[in-house]
Amino acid sequence: MEAEIPPEEQMEENQQSVDAAQPLSRIVPIPKSQLAPYRTVIILRLVILALFIHYRVTHPVDSAYPLWLTSVICEIWFAFSWILDQFPKWSPINRDTYIDRLSARYEREGQPSELAAVDFFVSTVDPLKEPPLITANTVLSILSADYPVDKISCYVSDDGAAMLTFESLVETAEFARKWVPFSKKFNIEPRAPEFYFSQKIDYLKDKIQPSFVKERRAMKRDYEEFKVRVNALVAKAQKTPDEGWTMADGTPWPGNNTRDHPGMIQVFLGYSGAHDIEGNELPRLVYVSREKRPGYQHHKKAGAENALVRVSAVLTNAPYILNLDCDHYVNNSKAIREAMCFLMDPQVGRDVCYVQFPQRFDGIDKSDRYANRNTVFFDVNMKGLDGIQGPVYVGTGCVFNRQALYGYGPPNLPSVPKTSSCSWCASCCCCCRRKKPAKEKDFAEVYRDAKREDLNAAIFNLREIESYDDNERSLIISQMSFEKTFGLSAVFIESTLMENGGLPESANPSMLIKEAIQVISCGYEEKTSWGKEIGWIYGSVTEDILTGFKMHCRGWRSIYCMPLRPAFKGSAPINLSDRLHQVLRWALGSVEIFLSRHCPLWYGFGGGRLKWLQRLAYINTIVYPFTSLPLIAYCLIPAICLLTGKFIIPTLSNLASVLFLGLFCSIITTSVLELRWSGVSIEDWWRNEQFWVIGGVSAHLFAVFQGFLKMLAGLDTNFTVTAKASDDGEFGELYIIKWTTVLIPPTSILIVNMVGVVAGFSDALNKGYEAWGPLFGKVFFAFWVIFHLYPFLKGLMGRQNRTPTIVILWSVLLASVFSLVWVKIDPFVSKDDTSTISQGCIAIDC
């Protein structure tokens, strides 16, 4: 007779089975009470904007025709730019995840975990610019993540082939044996030791283990010793020996010539059977430095990421890939589980190419002077895109479906009927291509669609590749000519056909490292589709935008995941010059895409898989640098008007006054309602508006010219950055002044507008009271420019002995105005000189 199960246990098991069957995530729509007014105001603003443009075009100012024409052209461009930015935010959404349901479905008690494996990619180049201690903290936070250890593999790409990076990883692997069990035992957050120990919080909160205080002190002491060892390596690496670096065994370091060295792979943890101090298994940690030879194009970060894709496919082949910059550590140990709630949900995950997390940063001043947090973009624009086809890929903090990186389309596309044996290869093109007339698409588009669908067909027809013997498998792969797409590695090609990841049974562990070395050789990508159709896409310094765009064009969608505790945190440049050069690089990448065949204005129409609002968003990402040209003109117009006495707007009628007032109110109302549903503070919104102008009149302008010089003339222009002064103390870097040519345009605009304000007041004093009315409009626009450029002026002036910059600014303006008034009135003139008095009164209309 079977033992009866207690009712409590039956209820618990039933509850677990119910949880396992429920969705792992849900969409949380924005309340209609917030969204309906927001959409209404957008439409109203569009109508008012059309009427305003019509009025401006049909009412020229003959006395200032060139200024009027310039202003109208600028306003039309601003209207176009606003449409591109606004309408992709038409349907914003939020999302919730259910990590407990994920565990109930894939981590049943007493059974091996069925959670999918994840390969982490960490990329670094120069350890003297990207401190090894920061990279080490990123690696330690990955190895300590709340995820099964046998499901995590961490690949560190050293694209500078630096022995310092290698040696620091040796130390990191050794320290991980202590850090990983400590962080998991006490469930601490974050699990990057540098940032955990620097927290100014009560670390005893919720820690009930009596041994916690003692073990924490011991771990902090161990970490300080680890830092000393790593910093000693950094100090040693400051001067390279004449004979080059030598390893511990006396052999020369293979990467002494950073431009001419073999590929290097070293497995520190995982395969070697390494365990932590408590005897538990540790995740894999693999060092990778791809081969570099003169005469080969290496494609910088995108090429390094593609090398990691191939190495990881040969060694572990996890179905999902998470890439991080070396300075972005895991701040939320459950971040991988958050992503798996989407990727492993059968109802959602099949069509998801990646899950993007927002970027969050440490070490930024409280006022966020230069909008380093990009709050408006990450909390407004990205939520809007999530309601269409998904957020854009931003280069870090992203979990990819490996199959999407291989150029395959999502499973929901029309599949190909399965045929027997291998005879399908000759006819697969006929049965899988669309019946759309070829004349509707150019030849290149037809070829790309055919190539993509051939690969989709290959996946469908090779689901049962495991059932073939080695000869049949080799025959099938060669028949498909996959070498032309993926390269000459049979092991790698076979891994691309395994949708659920894992290594094939035929894989020989002793040969995997040799195969991995082959796939990172500098000539492996030649005459293949790497960087063109598969992997990270080449052709722009912002390879992230291109890569996500190609996936969306194939019909994939992406997901935006915003857990309450930020998933990842990184560092951001906080001084003015570094921030502008970061923006310059992003804008340059957008210009490169605009001038390439992948421009969203004309690429990807053949398949019809990219939604039109998503296309608008991508167009916005590549045309926004060109706004710098009308923006600079518009910022100079107020000063020119003040200096010349002319104005771009004629005498306003009642209708014109209503239009101006309506446009102004609609702009304010749209912003307020946007802040309401997004939760962004008004301070963050204002900082974003200010830096839009600062970046627009500086970095974006240089990016446009540099992009055209690079793409059309082959000239690569670099702008030198020179540090001039530095202050100690907290946020000392914020006050470093680095003079660079990017600072010239906004500085000139500021000076011209301030001179214009002084000249305008002087002119009004000369002409009398009738001049003060027109002066108000001109001065209003001039101060609009000055207030938007105020953070730039503050950064340009540094601390100024801690005197607030606004005091200096107002002092200069008021002193200039009152000086002119004083000179004009001249109170010290003799009262007996009536002629002088009368002339003075006439001059100021007494």
Side-chain angles (χ1 to χ4, degrees):
M1 186 174 179
E2 295 182 358
E4 293 185 2
I5 302 176
E8 295 82 2
E9 293 186 13
Q10 287 183 353
M11 292 177 62
E12 184 177 351
E13 289 180 1
N14 291 336
Q15 181 63 38
Q16 289 180 353
S17 62
V18 170
D19 288 343
Q22 290 180 330
L24 302 179
S25 64
R26 72 183 180 102
I27 294 176
V28 183
I30 304 297
K32 290 184 178 180
S33 60
Q34 297 178 3
L35 197 57
Y38 176 64
R39 289 175 172 174
T40 302
V41 171
I42 290 175
I43 297 298
L44 186 62
R45 179 175 172 181
L46 184 64
V47 173
I48 295 174
L49 188 59
L51 295 174
F52 172 79
I53 296 294
H54 178 267
Y55 170 81
R56 293 284 283 125
V57 171
T58 56
H59 290 75
V61 181
D62 296 330
S63 61
Y65 192 82
L67 288 176
W68 167 83
L69 182 61
T70 302
S71 65
V72 169
I73 293 173
C74 293
E75 288 160 4
I76 292 173
W77 178 266
F78 294 150
F80 170 70
S81 179
W82 172 75
I83 290 172
L84 292 180
D85 178 70
Q86 185 66 67
F87 280 90
K89 297 182 283 190
W90 184 259
S91 303
I93 60 171
N94 293 309
R95 295 181 186 270
D96 280 345
T97 56
Y98 302 102
I99 296 179
D100 52 344
R101 296 178 184 176
L102 180 76
S103 298
R105 182 177 297 183
Y106 296 108
E107 292 184 299
R108 292 183 173 88
E109 189 175 355
Q111 299 180 15
S113 173
E114 296 179 3
L115 289 173
V118 180
D119 288 337
F120 281 79
F121 293 174
V122 179
S123 55
T124 183
V125 180
D126 186 351
L128 298 181
K129 295 181 180 179
E130 300 165 331
L133 191 62
I134 298 299
T135 304
N137 272 270
T138 299
V139 171
L140 290 169
S141 69
I142 292 171
L143 300 179
S144 307
D146 182 9
Y147 209 70
V149 292
D150 59 326
K151 306 289 185 178
I152 294 179
S153 300
C154 179
Y155 293 84
V156 179
S157 169
D158 177 18
D159 219 31
M163 191 168 133
L164 173 57
T165 302
F166 180 86
E167 290 182 329
S168 65
L169 273 186
V170 174
E171 294 289 347
T172 303
E174 186 62 31
F175 179 70
R177 300 171 192 267
K178 301 177 181 179
W179 174 254
V180 172
F182 168 79
S183 59
K184 291 188 175 182
K185 178 180 179 180
F186 296 107
N187 196 29
I188 63 171
E189 296 284 3
R191 298 187 181 180
E194 180 70 23
F195 303 95
Y196 170 69
F197 289 123
S198 64
Q199 290 181 115
K200 297 179 181 179
I201 60 173
D202 181 10
Y203 63 85
L204 294 176
K205 185 179 180 181
D206 299 328
K207 299 295 185 295
I208 60 175
Q209 296 94 327
S211 62
F212 173 67
V213 176
K214 180 180 179 181
E215 292 192 36
R216 186 185 186 276
R217 289 173 180 169
M219 183 54 59
K220 188 173 183 179
R221 185 167 54 251
D222 289 338
Y223 178 64
E224 293 298 329
E225 294 174 356
F226 166 71
K227 287 174 64 176
V228 169
R229 294 193 298 271
V230 172
N231 289 332
L233 293 174
V234 174
K236 173 185 170 185
Q238 295 300 314
K239 186 178 180 180
T240 305
D242 295 335
E243 66 278 7
W245 297 108
T246 303
M247 294 188 291
D249 59 0
T251 58
W253 171 246
N256 276 324
N257 188 341
T258 57
R259 298 183 179 180
D260 187 3
H261 64 83
M264 295 177 281
I265 297 177
Q266 176 67 47
V267 181
F268 289 111
L269 302 174
Y271 287 119
S272 59
H275 293 79
D276 62 31
I277 57 174
E278 296 182 359
N280 300 315
E281 184 182 354
L282 286 169
R284 296 176 181 86
L285 175 60
V286 184
Y287 169 87
V288 179
S289 182
R290 57 182 172 143
E291 181 186 18
K292 288 189 175 180
R293 302 296 182 190
Y296 287 90
Q297 178 60 263
H298 301 293
H299 302 289
K300 299 182 180 179
K301 179 182 176 181
E305 296 287 352
N306 284 337
L308 289 184
V309 171
R310 297 191 295 271
V311 168
S312 62
V314 171
L315 297 182
T316 51
N317 197 34
Y320 302 108
I321 294 170
L322 196 161
N323 85 293
L324 291 172
D325 290 341
C326 64
D327 60 346
H328 277 68
Y329 64 91
V330 181
N331 183 65
N332 183 346
S333 62
K334 298 185 183 296
I336 316 174
R337 296 177 180 269
E338 296 275 357
M340 290 303 126
C341 285
F342 301 106
L343 294 168
M344 296 190 69
D345 190 333
Q347 300 176 6
V348 178
R350 290 177 59 82
D351 299 332
V352 175
C353 54
Y354 59 82
V355 175
Q356 178 66 61
F357 291 89
Q359 291 185 21
R360 302 297 189 219
F361 301 98
D362 288 318
I364 297 177
D365 57 304
K366 293 181 180 180
S367 63
D368 192 16
R369 181 186 296 178
Y370 307 123
N372 278 288
R373 295 190 179 94
N374 283 325
T375 308
V376 172
F377 173 75
F378 285 112
D379 291 13
V380 179
N381 296 68
M382 296 286 265
K383 286 183 179 180
L385 290 176
D386 200 18
I388 309 171
Q389 201 171 339
V392 297
Y393 168 44
V394 296
T396 185
C398 186
V399 186
F400 283 98
N401 182 334
R402 188 184 283 268
Q403 293 294 310
L405 281 171
Y406 289 157
Y408 300 128
N412 67 349
L413 294 181
S415 58
V416 183
K418 186 176 180 180
T419 59
S420 58
S421 73
C422 306
S423 61
W424 67 275
C425 298
S427 60
C428 66
C429 296
C430 300
C431 64
C432 69
R433 294 179 187 172
R434 295 176 179 268
K435 300 302 182 181
K436 188 174 182 178
K439 63 181 180 181
E440 295 183 14
K441 299 189 291 183
D442 57 67
F443 176 79
E445 192 70 27
V446 171
Y447 174 79
R448 285 194 295 271
D449 280 353
K451 188 76 173 176
R452 186 182 307 121
E453 290 175 349
D454 285 350
L455 297 181
N456 288 332
I459 284 187
F460 184 87
N461 286 276
L462 291 182
R463 306 278 184 177
E464 300 181 0
I465 191 171
E466 296 292 340
S467 64
Y468 302 129
D469 59 31
D470 291 341
N471 292 333
E472 289 175 330
R473 188 183 298 114
S474 177
L475 177 63
I476 292 170
I477 292 176
S478 63
Q479 284 178 332
M480 292 190 304
S481 297
F482 264 28
E483 293 90 345
K484 294 181 181 179
T485 301
F486 295 112
L488 297 175
S489 171
V491 174
F492 174 73
I493 291 174
E494 190 170 351
S495 72
T496 66
L497 304 176
M498 305 177 69
E499 284 189 271
N500 297 321
L503 299 177
E505 295 180 0
S506 59
N508 183 357
S510 62
M511 299 297 293
L512 291 180
I513 293 295
K514 292 183 179 179
E515 196 71 27
I517 291 291
Q518 178 193 345
V519 299
I520 60 172
S521 61
C522 55
Y524 185 84
E525 294 184 355
E526 286 194 342
K527 298 181 180 180
T528 67
S529 295
W530 285 101
K532 304 181 187 72
E533 297 295 330
I534 62 175
W536 270 258
I537 306 301
Y538 305 149
S540 170
V541 295
T542 51
E543 69 288 327
D544 44 7
I545 297 294
L546 265 182
T547 303
F549 175 61
K550 293 277 284 189
M551 292 180 182
H552 284 136
C553 285
R554 295 187 185 110
W556 293 94
R557 71 153 294 122
S558 53
I559 297 289
Y560 196 48
C561 183
M562 293 183 66
L564 292 178
R565 180 179 179 86
F568 310 101
K569 279 191 174 183
S571 57
I574 64 172
N575 71 70
L576 178 60
S577 300
D578 289 345
R579 173 68 168 137
L580 287 178
H581 276 264
Q582 180 190 56
V583 173
L584 170 62
R585 188 180 67 84
W586 294 342
L588 176 60
S590 295
V591 176
E592 289 174 341
I593 297 173
F594 177 81
L595 298 173
S596 72
R597 73 182 185 92
H598 290 120
C599 179
L601 286 169
W602 51 72
Y603 182 85
F605 282 98
R609 298 164 187 164
L610 188 68
K611 296 183 179 180
W612 70 274
L613 280 179
Q614 192 80 13
R615 184 176 295 279
L616 279 185
Y618 274 112
I619 292 174
N620 188 43
T621 63
I622 58 104
V623 302
Y624 78 88
F626 297 96
T627 304
S628 60
L629 300 174
L631 185 59
I632 285 181
Y634 214 69
C635 288
L636 288 173
I637 286 176
I640 296 173
C641 290
L642 286 165
L643 292 171
T644 62
K646 299 178 180 179
F647 201 38
I648 59 174
I649 300 174
T651 304
L652 296 180
S653 63
N654 291 335
L655 175 61
S657 301
V658 171
L659 284 177
F660 274 86
L661 183 62
L663 182 61
F664 181 77
C665 292
S666 66
I667 292 172
I668 297 299
T669 307
T670 305
S671 301
V672 170
L673 294 176
E674 207 165 76
L675 300 182
R676 184 185 175 200
W677 64 252
S678 66
V680 174
S681 69
I682 192 169
E683 182 181 10
D684 287 330
W685 173 82
W686 175 237
R687 285 284 180 255
N688 181 78
E689 292 295 308
Q690 287 179 312
F691 201 78
W692 176 75
V693 175
I694 294 171
V697 300
S698 56
H700 296 173
L701 176 68
F702 281 87
V704 170
F705 288 107
Q706 187 177 355
F708 275 95
L709 287 174
K710 182 177 180 180
M711 300 299 290
L712 301 181
L715 299 177
D716 196 358
T717 307
N718 293 318
F719 302 97
T720 56
V721 180
T722 306
K724 295 296 183 183
S726 176
D727 292 271
D728 296 327
E730 188 178 12
F731 304 120
E733 187 185 349
L734 179 67
Y735 305 102
I736 295 176
I737 302 174
K738 298 181 179 180
W739 294 106
T740 169
T741 49
V742 178
L743 302 178
I744 295 175
T747 304
S748 303
I749 291 172
L750 266 172
I751 294 173
V752 169
N753 274 277
M754 287 191 286
V755 170
V757 170
V758 175
F761 276 105
S762 174
D763 186 61
L765 288 170
N766 285 324
K767 291 183 177 179
Y769 292 118
E770 70 275 2
W772 288 93
L775 176 67
F776 174 78
K778 301 172 188 177
V779 170
F780 174 82
F781 285 115
F783 275 109
W784 178 90
V785 175
I786 293 172
F787 284 146
H788 276 79
L789 292 177
Y790 169 66
F792 172 83
L793 180 63
K794 196 171 182 179
L796 203 62
M797 301 180 73
R799 285 185 186 270
Q800 289 295 314
N801 295 324
R802 300 186 183 274
T803 302
T805 310
I806 192 66
V807 174
I808 299 172
L809 175 62
W810 279 106
S811 298
V812 172
L813 288 175
L814 292 176
S816 302
V817 172
F818 285 125
S819 296
L820 289 169
V821 174
W822 185 274
V823 170
K824 197 65 185 176
I825 296 176
D826 197 3
F828 293 104
V829 70
S830 174
K831 294 183 179 180
D832 296 329
D833 192 352
T834 57
S835 61
T836 304
I837 295 175
S838 62
Q839 290 177 4
C841 289
I842 293 171
I844 61 174
D845 284 349
C846 290

